[in-house]
Amino acid sequence: MTDSLRIAVAQTGTAPESHDAAIALLEQSIAGAPAAELIVLPELALCGYGDAERVRRLAVAQHSPFIERVQDLARRAGKGFIAGYAEEGDGVRYNSAIAIGSDGAIRGNYRKVNLWGPHEKSLFSPGTPSTVMEWGGLKLGLLICYDLEFAEAARDLVLRGADTLIVISATSHPYRVVPEVLVPARGYENGCHVVYANVVGRDAGFNFIGMSRITAPDGSVLAAAPAEGPALIEAEVKPATVHAWRVGHNYLADRRSDLYRLG
């Protein structure tokens, strides 16, 4: 088992107005995190969140020339990426997270299940739960923003083997409760790491709160970004930390879900 995976979170601000600008954003994150093995960018980072016209204009298929450029960049840099984009697929549009390995291969592509508010529901169709991906000794499950507010979404991934939740987000004011409370709580109640990558600043009618963070299974914060301005944070995420915590806090084995109505 790999001892650890160095994960960087790029808390992005200004939304890209073109695919060239999105590539430049990825290149900037590479330059700012030279030691990172995996770089995580927020929800819809590759097209911006707030401007519906821009989202439609920059939406692409999973297998498209733009995504091939991202794959090539990952391969040349020797780094993995997980980033949000607007995906055209099956005749509809999805709010998606693509996972690309350091070899440039697509490792996963998650389409957001729980769409938030009229803005998202007018632009996107809901997807299906993420697969669990082996990555550097870890097992990653993907969530996007509002998904985190449904405890069963995180629990489902952990029951399927995830030890690290990658949560890309566009959380806006006044929802500081999400990074301050829900991020560590989801990690604590499931005995897993949570990597939370959020947008910061204004985009159209939205004002995003930043506060990206990486938390440990005991709820402690390994790295945190401020509520103002773009930032890059990093942490070593270790499978051994998860295993050690679960030895004494085995909520998954101790739960009595059969006694409760969950439907």
Side-chain angles (χ1 to χ4, degrees):
M1 177 182 289
T2 303
D3 290 337
S4 65
L5 181 68
R6 189 160 190 86
I7 300 178
V9 170
Q11 178 170 287
T12 58
T14 304
E17 291 292 338
S18 67
H19 289 147
D20 286 346
I23 294 295
L25 183 68
L26 292 170
E27 290 174 336
Q28 183 180 5
S29 70
I30 291 170
E37 299 164 90
L38 172 62
I39 302 175
V40 182
L41 289 87
E43 179 178 14
L44 298 177
L46 302 184
C47 65
Y49 182 96
D51 185 329
E53 183 279 328
R54 185 180 60 227
V55 169
R56 296 187 185 98
R57 174 166 51 85
L58 297 183
V60 295
Q62 178 186 158
H63 301 287
S64 64
F66 171 64
I67 296 299
E68 289 174 0
R69 291 177 67 188
V70 179
Q71 292 176 263
D72 182 62
L73 180 60
R75 187 182 304 112
R76 287 187 286 110
K79 296 184 184 299
F81 287 118
I82 296 175
Y85 76 113
E87 179 192 0
E88 296 282 3
D90 306 326
V92 296
R93 191 182 304 109
Y94 298 99
N95 182 339
S96 296
I98 194 162
I100 297 173
S102 59
D103 59 355
I106 295 175
R107 305 280 294 273
N109 190 76
Y110 167 58
R111 297 166 171 174
K112 186 176 184 178
V113 170
N114 299 287
L115 301 176
W116 183 82
H119 177 71
E120 289 187 24
K121 291 175 182 177
S122 70
L123 287 169
F124 304 112
S125 295
T128 55
S130 165
T131 58
V132 174
M133 301 173 292
E134 297 272 356
W135 202 305
L138 296 170
K139 295 182 179 179
L140 310 183
L142 304 180
L143 296 171
I144 300 178
C145 200
Y146 194 39
D147 290 331
L148 189 70
E149 298 183 36
F150 298 86
E152 61 269 30
R155 177 58 54 87
D156 167 67
L157 288 168
V158 172
L159 288 175
R160 287 191 282 118
D163 54 33
T164 303
L165 302 179
I166 306 292
V167 186
I168 66 171
S169 191
T171 303
S172 58
H173 289 278
Y175 300 106
R176 292 173 64 102
V177 65
V178 175
E180 290 180 335
V181 177
L182 290 188
V183 169
R186 290 289 174 267
Y188 185 90
E189 69 195 9
N190 289 294
C192 66
H193 295 284
V194 181
V195 178
Y196 173 78
N198 196 33
V199 187
V200 70
R202 294 187 178 276
D203 183 6
F206 298 89
N207 186 12
F208 301 107
I209 61 174
M211 302 177 67
S212 300
R213 57 198 54 213
I214 301 171
T215 63
D218 63 359
S220 62
V221 178
L222 301 177
E228 301 291 338
L232 269 165
I233 59 172
E234 298 183 38
E236 296 281 349
V237 179
K238 301 178 180 181
T241 304
V242 174
H243 300 315
W245 178 254
R246 288 181 178 176
V247 167
H249 308 83
N250 201 345
Y251 300 120
L252 301 181
D254 292 341
R255 75 191 195 286
R256 296 294 306 280
S257 299
D258 56 306
L259 300 180
Y260 305 103
R261 291 188 61 182
L262 301 177

